[in-house]
Amino acid sequence: MRLTVVALTMMLCLTGCVGATVALPYKQTYPSQADQPLRLNASPPVIRKTQKSDVTRQWCGITVWALIVPIPLQLPVCESYSEVAYGADANGEQVILFNTKQRIRPTLYACGPIMILGSIASRYEGNAFCGSLPWSDG
């Protein structure tokens, strides 16, 4: 009985909720310890070579949510990979200067009465009716 009441309440709250999940690539670059002395000496790091991991094609695009029914508009055209950049440090030795990762991050954008619950999530951005919530990094 309780479960039926909870399910019915959730369905009533979801009525009129619409939104979209957008999955796009994002790139993050992390400097290594060897990069810091170069920046302190105001000499820009010179990348001599890069090494890229195997590229993985992933689904990306948009999924439209209308009354809990997903309508996917996605294609497997986005790339995920890791890359390491090598160059000379302050002593002229060949070291790793940067680590770069490109991943797909889906983000939910939605409006409706249930979005008031979004404020309990730590990375929620928005108000009680509309907002966005990035999902965990893949």
Side-chain angles (χ1 to χ4, degrees):
M1 178 69 180
R2 282 176 137 180
L3 184 59
T4 306
V5 172
V6 170
L8 183 60
T9 304
M10 289 297 289
M11 287 175 60
L12 289 174
C13 287
L14 288 175
T15 304
C17 282
V18 294
T21 302
V22 179
L24 295 174
Y26 74 101
K27 187 182 286 190
Q28 289 182 309
T29 301
Y30 306 97
S32 70
Q33 296 281 344
D35 178 59
Q36 292 175 352
L38 292 173
R39 297 228 184 255
L40 290 175
N41 293 337
S43 60
V46 177
I47 297 173
R48 302 217 189 279
K49 75 172 188 171
T50 59
Q51 185 175 10
K52 195 174 191 179
S53 70
D54 291 337
V55 174
T56 304
R57 295 236 184 250
Q58 289 187 293
W59 290 82
C60 65
I62 186 167
T63 300
V64 179
W65 293 87
L67 300 174
I68 311 174
V69 178
I71 303 167
L73 306 170
Q74 297 188 5
L75 294 172
V77 295
C78 292
E79 297 179 344
S80 292
Y81 62 86
S82 300
E83 188 173 30
V84 179
Y86 297 93
D89 66 359
N91 300 325
E93 295 180 29
Q94 188 84 350
V95 294
I96 296 173
L97 294 177
F98 300 102
N99 290 306
T100 302
K101 291 184 180 188
Q102 179 167 307
R103 301 284 182 252
I104 307 301
R105 176 187 290 154
T107 302
L108 172 68
Y109 297 93
C111 290
I114 198 80
M115 294 307 290
I116 197 166
L117 298 176
S119 60
I120 60 175
S122 63
R123 295 185 298 167
Y124 178 75
E125 294 178 10
N127 55 35
F129 191 69
C130 288
S132 66
L133 181 66
W135 295 354
S136 63
D137 300 333

